[in-house]
Amino acid sequence: IGDFGWLQSNGVAAVLCGSAATLGARLMADASTAGAVTDQTDVTAPQAEVQVGVASLMAGVATEYRPIVLTID
């Protein structure tokens, strides 16, 4: 078997930012970039999306991986 996977739902993880995220902001899945997160304040329409983490260690920069605290549990 040459395949493997990794699943993490809580704790610190490096995650792709689809847009700049303010330090301390709640993050949700980005609708325009697969696998990325976006700051909930960047979304203009009410969302039923679940918060996936918090930008609590450093601000997010668009198109870069940044450490966030996952809160998927």
Side-chain angles (χ1 to χ4, degrees):
I1 298 175
D3 296 327
F4 68 93
W6 176 264
L7 177 68
Q8 183 175 351
S9 63
N10 200 339
V12 178
V15 178
L16 177 64
C17 293
S19 64
T22 307
L23 185 60
R26 296 177 301 182
L27 303 171
M28 59 182 266
D30 188 341
S32 61
T33 306
V37 296
T38 189
D39 190 325
Q40 283 186 328
T41 60
D42 291 341
V43 178
T44 56
Q47 294 291 314
E49 296 289 333
V50 176
Q51 173 182 325
V52 297
V54 178
S56 63
L57 300 174
M58 62 176 45
V61 177
T63 70
E64 291 188 11
Y65 286 85
R66 294 292 181 162
I68 70 166
V69 176
L70 296 174
T71 57
I72 300 171
D73 291 341

